[in-house]
């Protein structure tokens, strides 16, 4: 099988994000090339992504975490005014970006940047509820296409379609997107074709009778059958078979033209039939319209054919031992339109397995979420193709459950139990266990669930369990499965955990030492051309936001975006550290303490200083051509020296004496970051929410000096 990776923009601007360094709020260090080895281009990561924010608003936002903080007994009070209506979406918590809507372009841009920086190759849209969210995915594709036009990398896209009835959704996606050739550079391809997660056996237009009220047992030496008439050609016909939960049930299906005595057109032996499985005869060449007879014979083990005691299917009759009897048997006939044949030829299909426990029932299936230990899903060549990794699972014991039930497998569930240590929810023990399992098996593709689901409907009953208030897929901080950073709680802990595991899976590029040059701080920048490496940042990412939120009375506004930092360099001599930065457009007029600030970690200790930064440079300029050097001293920044600084056009350079950094010689490494107009709250969120930071979010560049 040939894996086709994400197509690069024609003018790709590689930020080398896999060489960036970071330490999260828990002190966990993101591994680099030295720990994870060289990149492996034959390994791919997808993340489950949700388009539905705004499509199902019924008031609110209703935040379960805030509701329970206000009334800890609310789960016993279905009539509490704190809850939204039954079935209305409720948020389990608040995203760092607020209760946003999918079409908020600032959020879409940030998602593209964060996921690409992490090494995610494809986002897989959830369209399993028979809604494609066309306007929402079109908005995302347009915004991401704009980013790619600037040269940025973004993930590509694919769709997870309804598990049991995907035909409507697949056809809509085909007609609205794929057949039109829209945003084709963003289609994720697998085995040479656009990937779609849908059962190809369920795509054809379907006729027949699926209603049943009695299982008719097929005894050895006997036969059961159903005649039918179709007015269009068809390529597949099948039936539903009860096995009374036994194993090793077998039978043979045969298709005859006209009736029981007609010409046999094909047969197949089915073994190890599972209870209530649909099994099909599939024909490579379509069968013409006409009258036909499907027959089941040669039973082994206990097996039957689901039937109905009434005559429900006007185009056929039930048979027993080739004699017509009352009623009809469950039957599906899939007609083969020209559109369906084009769809089959266009996509690479992988049948999605909805079950968390069962594993694959055949080749070319993929999982989206499973309990530990997850199964390996193989392709038709027998290769280890895919596994899922989940943040949490709405599984209770060995059954599908709701996240709000006692015993659900939350973020802290591992080693068969929930870890009750303080702050366990922040460490991602559940997903770590699943990642470790996936890394050990090393499939070609890992599907991570998920990024930004955030909401779940309020129910009173699910899967045979009835409680006053229930939430199935999301509930609270512990019982939720989003990686996107949250406001408060675990913040961005899960994001950097994702980055770390993707690097362990896919590898990372090495970063070479700084190649210095003699630099004069004179506002002339040609002498920087010889300096390597060039450190890069996303193009077009300064924050510029204005969009309504979930609550129509709320508009999220942020106009802090100003200078777009795109590249930086570092050089050094025995006496000074030199830094260079370039923006996408000419620099704005220097204003305040938030203009083009350089942050430095010179002691290789991310746990001290201000978020690991020991010094900052250029927060203010004491005189023309100078920039203040300040040291973090527990309660704030204190001036400790002066740097030379010049800027012109879209470039800036400065030199900082090692003595001002309280060093008598160059250290082995300097981690650094440029920011513009970031600082507001004074915490880590500033790097994500405001202005521009290079590199993005908590990441730093690392200059290797010796």
């Amino acid at each position: 099988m040939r894996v086709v990776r994400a197509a690069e923009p024609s003018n790709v601007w590689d930020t080398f994000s896999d060489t960036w360094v970071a330490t999260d709020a828990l002190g966990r260090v993101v591994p680099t090339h030295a720990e994870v080895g060289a990149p492996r281009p034959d390994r791919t990561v997808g993340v489950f992504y949700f388009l539905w924010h705004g499509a199902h608003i019924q008031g609110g936002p209703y935040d379960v975490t805030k509701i329970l903080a206000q009334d800890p007994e609310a789960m016993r009070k279905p009539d509490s005014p704190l809850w939204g209506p039954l079935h209305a979406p409720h948020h389990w918590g608040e995203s760092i970006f607020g209760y946003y809507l999918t079409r908020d372009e600032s959020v879409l841009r940030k998602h593209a940047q964060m996921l690409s920086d992490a090494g995610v190759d494809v986002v897989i849209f959830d369209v399993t509820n028979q809604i494609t969210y066309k306007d929402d995915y079109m908005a995302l594709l347009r915004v991401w296409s704009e980013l790619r036009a600037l040269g940025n990398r973004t993930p590509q896209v694919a769709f997870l379609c309804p598990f049991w009835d995907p035909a409507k959704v697949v056809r809509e996606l085909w007609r609205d997107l794929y057949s039109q050739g829209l945003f084709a550079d963003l289609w994720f391809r697998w085995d040479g074709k656009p990937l779609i997660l849908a059962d190809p056996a369920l795509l054809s237009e379907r006729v027949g009778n699926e209603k049943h009220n009695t299982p008719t047992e097929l005894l050895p030496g006997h036969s059961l059958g159903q005649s039918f008439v179709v007015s269009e050609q068809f390529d597949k016909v099948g039936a539903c078979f009860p096995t009374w939960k036994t194993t090793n049930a077998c039978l043979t299906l045969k298709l005859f033209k006209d009736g029981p005595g007609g010409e046999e057109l094909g047969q197949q032996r089915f073994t190890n039939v599972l209870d209530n499985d649909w099994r099909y005869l599939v024909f490579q060449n379509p069968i013409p319209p006409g009258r036909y007879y499907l027959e089941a014979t040669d039973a082994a083990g206990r097996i039957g054919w689901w039937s109905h005691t009434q005559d429900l299917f006007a185009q056929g009759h039930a048979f027993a031992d080739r004699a017509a009897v009352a009623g009809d048997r469950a039957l599906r006939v899939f007609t083969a339109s020209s559109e369906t044949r084009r769809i089959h030829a266009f996509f690479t299909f992988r049948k999605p397995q909805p079950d968390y426990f069962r594993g694959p029932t055949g080749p070319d299936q993929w999982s989206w979420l499973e309990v530990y230990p997850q199964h390996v899903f193989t392709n038709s060549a027998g290769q280890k193709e895919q596994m899922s990794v989940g943040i949490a699972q709405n599984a209770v014991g060995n059954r599908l459950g709701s996240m709000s039930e006692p015993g659900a497998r939350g973020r802290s569930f591992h080693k068969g139990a929930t870890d009750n240590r303080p702050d366990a929810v922040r460490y991602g023990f559940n997903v770590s266990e699943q990642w470790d399992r996936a890394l050990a098996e090393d499939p070609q593709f890992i599907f991570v669930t998920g990024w930004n689901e955030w909401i779940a409907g309020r129910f009173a009953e699910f899967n045979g369990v009835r409680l006053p208030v229930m939430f199935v897929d999301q509930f609270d901080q512990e019982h939720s499965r989003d990686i996107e950073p949250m406001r408060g709680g675990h913040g961005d802990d899960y994001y950097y955990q994702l980055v770390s595991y993707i690097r362990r899976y896919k590898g990372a590029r090495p970063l070479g030492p700084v190649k210095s040059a003699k630099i004069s701080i004179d506002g002339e920048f040609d002498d920087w051309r010889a300096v390597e490496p060039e450190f890069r940042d996303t193009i077009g990412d300064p924050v510029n936001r204005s969009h309504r939120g979930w609550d129509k009375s709320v508009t999220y506004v942020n106009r802090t975006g100003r200078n777009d930092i795109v590249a930086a360099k570092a050089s050094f001599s025995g006496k000074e550290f030199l830094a260079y930065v370039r923006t996408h457009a000419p620099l704005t007029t220097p204003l305040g303490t938030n203009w083009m600030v350089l942050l430095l970690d010179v002691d290789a200790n991310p746990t001290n200083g201000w978020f690991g930064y020991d010094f900052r440079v250029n927060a203010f300029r004491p005189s023309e051509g100078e920039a203040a050097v300040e040291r973090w001293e527990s309660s704030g920044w204190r001036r400790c020296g002066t740097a030379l600084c010049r800027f012109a056009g879209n470039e800036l350079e400065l030199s900082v004496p090692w003595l001002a950094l309280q060093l008598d010689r160059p250290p082995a490494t300097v981690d650094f970051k440029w920011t513009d107009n970031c600082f507001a709250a004074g915490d880590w969120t500033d790097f994500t929410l405001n202005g521009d930071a290079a590199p993005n979010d908590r990441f730093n560049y690392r200059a290797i000096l010796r």
Side-chain angles (χ1 to χ4, degrees), residues 494-570:
Y494 282 81
Y495 176 67
Y496 291 97
Q497 184 183 38
L498 174 71
V499 175
S500 294
Y501 272 110
I502 289 178
R503 289 191 184 179
R504 292 184 182 110
Y505 174 59
K506 293 175 60 175
R509 287 172 288 186
L511 182 64
V514 167
K515 177 184 176 183
S516 291
K518 182 175 176 58
I519 302 294
S520 298
I521 306 301
D522 54 8
E524 300 290 336
F525 304 99
D526 286 349
D527 46 2
W528 282 98
R529 292 181 181 175
V531 175
E532 295 178 355
E534 180 175 76
F535 302 94
R536 293 178 172 180
D537 186 53
T538 309
I539 300 174
D541 63 337
V543 176
N544 186 358
R545 184 182 188 189
S546 180
H547 201 280
R548 67 154 282 193
W550 188 279
D551 183 340
K552 64 182 179 182
S553 68
V554 173
T555 299
Y556 293 107
V557 178
N558 187 323
R559 302 295 191 189
T560 56
R562 190 171 56 187
N563 291 305
D564 184 6
I565 303 166
V566 297
K569 291 186 176 184

Side-chain angles (χ1 to χ4, degrees), residues 353-471:
Q353 168 59 281
D355 196 279
Y356 299 173
F357 308 92
R358 187 174 181 180
T361 59
D364 295 335
Q365 297 180 9
W366 282 17
S367 61
W368 71 283
L369 185 66
E370 289 196 301
V371 299
Y372 175 85
Q374 315 95 280
H375 296 87
V376 177
F377 285 68
T378 58
N379 58 25
S380 55
Q383 298 169 314
K384 293 182 178 181
E385 186 172 80
Q386 188 267 348
M387 291 179 71
S388 61
V389 164
I391 306 300
Q393 303 81 33
N394 53 308
V396 180
N398 293 318
R399 65 169 174 85
L400 179 66
S402 65
M403 281 291 203
S404 58
E405 283 184 69
R409 302 187 184 203
R411 294 176 185 259
S412 305
F413 188 92
H414 67 134
K415 298 181 180 179
T418 298
D419 194 314
N420 293 314
R421 287 176 289 180
D423 281 342
V425 67
R426 297 186 60 189
Y427 287 85
F429 292 126
N430 187 323
V431 70
S432 288
E433 187 174 58
Q434 294 222 333
W435 264 112
D436 290 342
R437 160 79 176 155
L439 293 180
E441 293 292 343
D442 196 26
Q444 297 169 350
F445 190 108
I446 291 178
F447 186 156
V448 181
T449 294
W451 177 251
N452 65 330
E453 189 171 5
W454 286 110
I455 57 175
R458 179 168 76 89
F459 287 83
E461 183 176 3
F462 177 73
N463 200 25
V465 176
R466 187 171 184 85
L467 295 171
V469 178
M470 300 183 74
F471 296 96

Side-chain angles (χ1 to χ4, degrees), residues 588-635:
T588 62
T589 302
L591 293 172
T593 60
N594 232 340
W595 186 85
M596 298 301 293
V597 177
L598 175 65
L599 297 169
L600 298 172
D601 174 6
V602 299
D603 64 0
N605 185 353
T607 65
N608 63 9
W610 183 75
F611 291 95
Y613 302 112
D614 310 300
F615 297 91
R616 72 176 184 179
V617 185
N618 202 39
F620 67 92
R621 289 154 298 285
S623 62
E624 183 72 24
E626 292 185 338
V629 181
E630 299 170 276
R631 178 180 174 85
W632 179 258
E633 295 181 358
S634 69
S635 59

Side-chain angles (χ1 to χ4, degrees), residues 58-242:
Q58 300 178 51
Y62 307 107
D63 188 318
V64 175
T65 298
K66 293 178 180 178
I67 290 171
L68 294 180
Q70 184 174 345
D71 181 4
E73 301 299 315
M75 292 298 290
R76 300 188 180 93
K77 302 174 182 177
D79 297 326
S80 170
L82 299 176
W83 297 122
L86 195 65
H87 303 141
H90 286 60
H91 288 74
W92 66 261
E94 184 178 4
S95 162
I96 189 178
F97 306 113
Y99 304 105
Y100 62 82
L101 303 186
T102 294
R103 297 177 214 176
D104 189 330
E105 292 190 11
S106 179
V107 175
L108 292 176
R109 286 174 177 269
K110 191 63 182 178
H111 283 177
Q113 169 249 298
M114 295 182 77
L115 291 166
S116 182
D117 290 347
V120 173
D121 300 288
V122 54
V123 295
I124 299 173
F125 297 138
D126 180 11
V127 291
T128 57
N129 62 355
Q130 296 291 344
I131 302 172
T132 65
Y133 305 101
K134 175 185 174 182
D135 291 340
D136 299 285
Y137 73 68
M138 284 294 191
L140 180 146
L141 292 173
R142 176 179 55 79
V143 172
W144 288 16
S145 182
E146 291 170 358
L147 287 171
R148 290 168 72 87
L150 292 172
N152 298 297
R153 287 186 168 125
T154 73
Q156 292 184 298
V157 304
F159 294 83
L160 173 59
C161 300
F163 298 106
W164 298 281
D165 190 12
K168 168 184 172 292
V169 163
V170 171
R171 258 186 281 281
E172 287 182 13
L173 295 173
W174 165 254
R175 294 167 183 170
D176 294 340
L177 178 64
Y178 290 102
S179 69
Q180 305 297 317
L182 300 176
F183 304 104
D185 63 324
L186 282 165
W187 301 346
F188 178 73
R189 289 167 170 82
W190 191 255
D191 202 13
K193 298 179 181 180
L195 173 73
I196 195 163
L197 301 183
D199 186 350
L202 302 178
L203 295 186
S204 300
E205 294 82 355
R206 199 159 74 210
V207 297
N209 165 55
E210 297 188 21
K211 294 182 179 179
H212 54 267
N213 61 7
T214 185
T216 302
E217 188 167 1
L218 175 62
L219 299 174
H222 293 265
S223 69
L224 298 174
Q226 175 73 31
S227 65
F228 60 96
V229 176
V230 289
S231 58
E232 296 183 81
Q233 62 182 3
F234 64 97
D235 58 6
K236 185 169 60 175
V237 58
C240 186
F241 303 106

Side-chain angles (χ1 to χ4, degrees), residues 467-482:
L467 295 171
V469 178
M470 300 183 74
F471 296 96
V472 177
D473 291 310
Q474 304 274 11
F475 173 44
D476 57 13
Q477 182 188 2
E478 170 66 32
H479 302 93
S480 54
R481 54 192 185 211
D482 293 317

Side-chain angles (χ1 to χ4, degrees), residues 33-60:
H33 170 80
E35 294 82 34
V36 303
R40 301 198 299 164
D42 58 349
R43 293 297 182 267
T44 306
V45 174
V47 169
F48 211 15
Y49 190 99
F50 295 81
L51 298 162
W52 59 4
H53 298 288
H56 306 290
I57 294 176
Q58 300 178 51

Side-chain angles (χ1 to χ4, degrees), residues 225-229 291-294 313 315-319 331:
Q226 175 73 31
S227 65
F228 60 96
V229 176
R291 180 177 179 81
Y292 297 91
Y293 173 71
L294 183 67
F313 184 45
Q315 289 77 38
H317 300 283
F319 284 76
L331 178 78

